[in-house]
């Protein structure tokens, strides 16, 4: 023990390289280990001393590794226990997506028939039960020696005489294989090939968009506004026309304060700015709070009005249409629209409106969205990837090269003349923003997208809210396509613009994309496991989707660690998008679903700080005479809310598809299909997590 004691006592004089190891457990102290120095390799050094020193260092390293591994196992165990507890709560509650009440859009439209809602789920269940039966059949055949892992079968063997059949089971299975080869595999292979062609066309479109975005960055293409004249009221040089600002909202008491405060702090001459708060709330407390907030801003000098509709026809489109019918609107040249959760920066109008100067054919200037809660949970991170690609690639490329893209419904400035020529706001679909953009494009108006002008907003944090939003966003375009197709064909725009509208804008990106995503990866791929005579190449299952996911994630490089969850989640969402697309295309009941996306009222700390600094005198209290009345209203509302709590739900279609894919992955093991097995396994787990509502906001 003497050499060891001498080494520890004289370590200050040792000239080795220090290695500092930090322990994860705070109860452990920090230990300093020394690496070997040059003296350790001298021949004169005692070999026993060197071996003892290195052995002690090696022992400490092993202990540290073991401690870290134990910590990882503990964390993993805690996570698994939490997951099991969440699953148990979901099953115990028994709440499913069929319990959600849907409010129809507009008067005279009925809520969706439950039979229509369950039709799609019934088809998925049939596929699931059939796959379970076939899996049991295939496992029994495998243990009896039927190992047909490839589609190249010897049919002569199967057509052999009954003497070659060992038993009833072998005879039945041989007939099943013949039915597969002769009748099932050819149509399935044809459908597979058709979906692969659509998949490649859509992948090529995405690649071209990415190349266009790269060209824009390489050439530094950017819309540049023209300079205006000196404005005596603001004391600045610029372009200051009359601008109307509209904020449509409906029962959004979580976010109304921050959006109203943001637009009231817009840096624009007050005599040339009017703000309309278009409140469609049917809750008396929310109406009272919004009206009080508008009144306080009026006292601060803001030119702001409060409007409330008694008859709420048409929802957002009807709300905007009603506001545009006011007589004073004719005094304004432009209108800026913000949803209730959007917070424009004070210079928003100064960075968007000047683009209209001396540009008489420009109808819309659209700004980019940014998100205050993009890192809140896994669901918001995945949404951020999707929307970053949408804005930076799709919107920007279409703006630069063809001057047309779909209006995002908010954070945009319209020329009022363009709205009027296009026919104004219509309530005929759930995508009134896309509707007005298409009609304005048919009348020859051009659009500009500003990628460097951002407007903060919120992302849905719960899967229920995101699912409803995506249903509306994917059913509405199909409704609009049916209605607009005759107008597109008859319009006077060029053939190229008609091709872009019909094939690229509607068919490829709104219809074909959800169709092949669901059909290819959720139906055809599992079926090829049970009918191996129809092949789905590995490059379709793995390599091309991975490449497309890599391209999608480029606009949000910080989200690169989430590339695999993003790929799996996009395929998982295909069931919702496919169902919405079919509903909109064939005018089923769910095509008219309209649910206001749930907001949490999050604001960035920087925006709140800037508002406090700019308006230190503004307080959001309530007037004393109305305090008792408002407290009573809030108390009653809280009582109603306590009886109607938020819950995580079980989503039946996603769960059924999860078990279908997991069953198919078990079947792929019999054929030793490695890539197909792993894809089906992880995709099935993804559907399982989404079906149990474990991906977004968790309600305790």
């Amino acid at each position: 023990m003497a050499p060891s004691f001498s080494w520890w006592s004289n370590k200050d004089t040792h000239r080795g390289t220090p290695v500092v190891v930090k322990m994860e457990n705070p109860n452990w102290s920090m230990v300093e280990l020394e690496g070997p120095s040059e003296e350790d390799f001298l021949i004169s050094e005692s070999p026993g001393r060197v071996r003892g020193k290195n052995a002690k260092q090696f022992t400490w390293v092993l202990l540290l590794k073991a401690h870290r591994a134990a910590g990882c196992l503990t964390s993993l165990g805690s996570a698994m226990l939490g997951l099991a507890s969440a699953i148990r709560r979901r099953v115990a509650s028994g709440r499913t997506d069929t319990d959600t009440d849907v409010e129809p859009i507009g008067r005279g439209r009925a809520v969706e028939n439950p039979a229509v809602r369950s039709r799609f789920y019934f088809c998925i269940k049939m596929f699931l039960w059939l796959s379970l039966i076939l899996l049991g059949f295939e496992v029994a055949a495998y243990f009896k020696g039927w190992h047909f892992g490839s589609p190249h079968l010897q049919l002569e063997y199967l057509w052999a005489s009954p003497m070659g059949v060992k038993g009833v089971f072998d005879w039945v299975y041989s007939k099943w294989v013949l039915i597969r080869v002769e009748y099932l595999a050819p149509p399935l292979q044809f459908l597979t090939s058709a979906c692969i062609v659509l998949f490649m066309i859509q992948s090529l479109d995405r690649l071209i968009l990415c190349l266009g975005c790269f060209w824009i960055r390489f050439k530094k293409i950017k819309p540049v506004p023209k300079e205006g004249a000196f404005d005596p009221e603001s004391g600045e040089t610029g372009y200051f026309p009359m601008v109307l600002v509209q904020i449509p909202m409906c029962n959004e008491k979580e976010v109304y304060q921050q959006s109203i405060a943001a637009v009231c702090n817009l840096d624009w001459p007050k005599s040339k700015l009017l703000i309309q708060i278009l409140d469609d709330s049917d809750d008396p407390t929310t109406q009272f709070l919004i009206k009080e907030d508008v009144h306080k801003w009026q006292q601060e000098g803001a030119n702001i009005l409060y409007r409330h509709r008694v008859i709420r026809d048409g929802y957002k489109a009807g709300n905007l249409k009603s506001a545009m019918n006011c007589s004073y609107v004719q005094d304004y040249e432009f209108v800026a629209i913000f949803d209730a959760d959007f917070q424009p920066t004070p210079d928003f109008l100064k960075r968007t409106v000047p683009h209209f100067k001396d540009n008489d054919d420009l109808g819309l200037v659209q700004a980019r969205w940014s998100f205050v809660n993009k890192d809140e949970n896994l669901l918001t991170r995945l949404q951020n990837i999707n929307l970053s690609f949408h804005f930076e690639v799709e919107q920007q490329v279409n703006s630069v090269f063809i001057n047309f893209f779909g209006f995002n419904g908010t954070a945009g400035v319209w020329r009022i003349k363009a709205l009027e020529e296009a026919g104004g706001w219509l309530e005929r679909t759930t995508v009134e923003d896309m509707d007005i953009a298409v009609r304005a494009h048919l009348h020859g108006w051009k659009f500009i997208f500003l990628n460097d002008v951002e407007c903060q907003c919120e992302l849905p944090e719960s899967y229920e809210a995101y699912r409803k939003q995506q249903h509306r966003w994917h059913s509405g375009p199909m409704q609009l396509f049916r209605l607009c197709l005759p107008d597109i064909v008859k319009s006077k725009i060029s053939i190229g613009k008609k091709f872009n509208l019909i094939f690229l804008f509607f068919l490829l990106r709104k219809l074909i994309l959800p169709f092949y995503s669901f059909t290819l990866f959720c139906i055809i791929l599992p079926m090829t496991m049970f009918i191996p005579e129809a092949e789905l190449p590995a490059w379709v299952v793995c390599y091309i989707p991975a490449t497309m996911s890599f391209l999608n994630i480029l606009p949000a490089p910080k989200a690169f660690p989430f590339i695999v969850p993003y790929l799996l989640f996009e395929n998982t969402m295909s069931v919702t998008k496919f169902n919405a697309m079919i509903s909109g295309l064939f005018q089923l009941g769910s095509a008219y679903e309209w649910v206001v996306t749930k907001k949490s009222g999050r604001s960035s700390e920087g925006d709140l700080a800037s508002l406090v600094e700019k308006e230190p005198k503004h307080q959001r209290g309530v007037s004393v005479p109305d305090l008792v009345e408002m407290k009573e209203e809030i108390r009653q509302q809280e009582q109603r809310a306590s009886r109607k709590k938020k819950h995580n739900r079980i989503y039946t279609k996603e769960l059924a598809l999860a078990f279908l894919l997991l069953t198919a992955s078990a079947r792929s093991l019999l054929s030793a299909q490695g890539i197909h097995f792993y894809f089906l396994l992880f995709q099935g787990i993804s559907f399982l997590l989404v079906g149990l509502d474990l991906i977004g906001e968790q309600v305790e």
Side-chain angles (χ1 to χ4, degrees), residues 306-318:
Y306 174 85
R307 282 179 52 85
H308 177 73
R309 295 191 306 157
V310 178
I311 302 176
R312 300 164 59 237
D313 284 342
Y315 283 71
K316 182 179 177 180

Side-chain angles (χ1 to χ4, degrees), residues 129-170:
W129 284 111
L130 181 61
S131 65
L132 289 173
I133 294 172
L134 290 178
L135 177 62
F137 198 40
E138 295 290 342
V139 170
Y142 182 85
F143 285 106
K144 284 184 171 291
W146 293 80
H147 300 164
F148 293 117
S150 66
H152 306 290
L153 301 177
Q154 299 294 329
L155 297 182
E156 293 81 2
Y157 171 77
L158 297 176
W159 286 110
S161 62
M163 297 298 295
V165 178
K166 299 179 181 179
V168 176
F169 179 87
D170 298 276

Side-chain angles (χ1 to χ4, degrees), residues 365-381:
V365 175
Q366 172 73 57
R368 177 174 178 163
W369 300 358
S370 60
F371 311 104
V372 297
N373 60 338
K374 62 182 179 181
D375 297 323
E376 183 65 25
N377 53 43
L378 178 59
L379 178 61
T380 58
R381 292 177 187 271

Side-chain angles (χ1 to χ4, degrees), residues 23-210:
M23 308 296 294
E24 294 181 357
N25 192 332
N27 296 325
W28 288 46
S29 60
M30 187 174 67
V31 182
E32 183 177 299
L33 303 180
E34 294 183 357
S37 66
E38 296 179 0
E39 296 180 356
D40 296 329
F41 299 98
L42 296 177
I43 300 177
S44 59
E45 187 77 19
S46 171
R49 181 179 178 184
V50 174
R51 284 194 299 270
K53 189 188 306 181
N54 291 338
K56 183 175 286 292
Q57 292 177 353
F58 183 68
T59 302
W60 273 102
V61 171
L62 288 180
L63 288 174
L64 294 176
K65 294 287 186 182
H67 174 263
R68 179 169 296 181
C72 292
L73 289 176
T74 303
S75 302
L76 183 61
S78 301
M80 295 303 294
L81 288 176
L83 180 64
S85 176
I87 294 174
R88 180 176 54 81
R89 289 198 303 269
R90 300 290 187 279
V91 176
S93 67
R95 295 182 64 89
T96 66
D97 51 339
T98 58
D99 299 330
T100 304
D101 296 328
V102 176
E103 187 178 5
I105 174 172
R107 291 189 302 176
R109 291 181 179 179
V111 179
E112 179 187 7
N113 192 329
V116 176
R117 179 188 292 273
S118 62
R119 206 171 292 162
F120 187 47
Y121 175 53
F122 174 76
C123 295
I124 296 176
K125 283 198 302 183
M126 291 300 297
F127 272 109
L128 173 60
W129 284 111
L130 181 61
S131 65
L132 289 173
I133 294 172
L134 290 178
L135 177 62
F137 198 40
E138 295 290 342
V139 170
Y142 182 85
F143 285 106
K144 284 184 171 291
W146 293 80
H147 300 164
F148 293 117
S150 66
H152 306 290
L153 301 177
Q154 299 294 329
L155 297 182
E156 293 81 2
Y157 171 77
L158 297 176
W159 286 110
S161 62
M163 297 298 295
V165 178
K166 299 179 181 179
V168 176
F169 179 87
D170 298 276
W171 181 84
V172 172
Y173 188 77
S174 65
K175 296 302 181 184
W176 160 241
V177 173
L178 287 173
I179 293 174
R180 276 174 12 196
V181 173
E182 294 292 330
Y183 302 105
L184 300 181
L188 181 59
Q189 187 64 60
F190 175 79
L191 182 60
T192 302
S193 302
C195 286
I196 291 176
V197 171
L198 297 177
F199 179 38
M200 295 305 298
I201 294 175
Q202 196 275 333
S203 300
L204 180 62
D205 173 62
R206 183 140 306 190
L207 179 61
I208 293 174
L209 288 173
C210 291

Side-chain angles (χ1 to χ4, degrees), residues 1 9 24 97 149 154 233 258 322 405 440 577 666 692 697:
M1 296 298 293
S9 62
E24 294 181 357
D97 51 339
Q154 299 294 329
E233 181 179 349
Q258 59 200 36
S322 174
F405 50 84
K577 297 176 181 179
L692 294 172
E697 179 186 20

Side-chain angles (χ1 to χ4, degrees), residues 317-586:
N319 199 358
L320 293 171
K321 182 179 180 179
S322 174
M324 293 299 293
N325 289 331
C326 296
S327 59
Y328 54 78
V329 172
Q330 62 184 358
D331 299 329
Y332 294 84
E333 189 176 356
F334 303 101
V335 55
I337 302 172
F338 301 99
D339 281 350
D341 60 317
F342 277 71
Q343 307 161 48
T345 55
D347 62 346
F348 181 87
L349 294 179
K350 286 186 175 180
R351 301 179 66 184
T352 54
V353 175
H355 289 273
F356 289 98
K357 181 176 173 56
D358 299 331
N359 199 354
D360 295 336
D361 58 351
L362 180 61
L364 168 67
V365 175
Q366 172 73 57
R368 177 174 178 163
W369 300 358
S370 60
F371 311 104
V372 297
N373 60 338
K374 62 182 179 181
D375 297 323
E376 183 65 25
N377 53 43
L378 178 59
L379 178 61
T380 58
R381 292 177 187 271
L382 299 179
Q383 292 179 69
N384 180 53
I385 296 173
N386 245 345
L387 291 172
S388 295
F389 181 87
H390 168 69
F391 285 109
E392 187 160 344
V393 179
E394 293 178 340
Q395 298 291 75
Q396 186 174 210
V397 170
N398 288 323
S399 169
V400 170
F401 292 103
I402 60 177
N403 297 119
F404 167 73
F405 50 84
F407 175 46
N408 293 115
T410 178
V413 182
W414 275 95
R415 189 188 296 272
I416 294 180
K417 182 180 178 182
L419 292 177
E420 293 173 347
E421 284 192 3
W425 299 100
L426 299 179
E427 311 98 315
R428 55 182 182 174
T429 71
T430 58
V431 284
E432 72 292 326
D433 45 8
M434 185 182 296
D435 189 359
I436 191 68
V438 171
R439 287 184 282 117
H441 180 59
L442 295 180
H443 282 78
W445 292 98
K446 296 181 179 179
F447 304 161
I448 286 180
F449 174 76
L450 302 178
N451 191 54
D452 58 340
V453 180
E454 296 184 355
C455 189
Q456 288 194 330
C457 62
E458 288 187 18
L459 291 167
E461 296 180 6
S462 68
Y463 179 68
E464 173 69 14
Y466 179 65
R467 185 168 173 262
K468 290 297 181 185
Q469 181 195 70
Q470 292 300 303
H471 189 281
R472 186 173 76 249
W473 286 4
H474 286 81
S475 65
M478 291 297 97
Q479 303 173 34
L480 182 61
F481 179 63
R482 289 171 54 106
L483 297 171
C484 283
L485 183 59
D487 296 332
I488 296 174
V489 175
K490 297 175 184 177
S491 66
K492 297 179 181 180
I493 61 176
S494 64
I495 299 297
K497 290 183 178 180
K498 290 182 180 180
F499 174 81
N500 173 71
L501 266 178
I502 296 175
F503 182 73
L504 295 179
F505 187 75
F506 279 113
L507 291 180
L508 184 60
R509 296 167 189 164
K510 303 297 188 296
L511 189 149
I512 292 177
L513 177 58
F515 171 78
Y516 86 75
S517 296
F518 174 75
T519 307
L520 190 62
F521 296 109
C522 300
I523 299 298
I524 292 179
L525 179 58
M527 290 180 66
T528 57
M529 297 299 101
F530 297 99
I531 307 177
E533 296 76 24
E535 290 184 290
L536 189 60
W539 57 268
V540 175
V541 176
C542 180
Y543 304 127
I544 300 298
T547 304
M548 293 299 104
S549 297
F550 177 77
L551 293 178
N552 278 23
I553 215 167
L554 285 179
K558 293 183 179 179
F560 187 79
F562 301 95
I563 185 171
V564 174
Y566 171 74
L567 170 62
L568 298 174
F569 181 68
E570 279 301 289
N571 289 334
T572 304
M573 283 303 300
S574 65
V575 59
T576 297
K577 297 176 181 179
F578 178 82
N579 188 25
M581 182 268 292
I582 294 297
S583 300
L585 189 63
F586 297 103

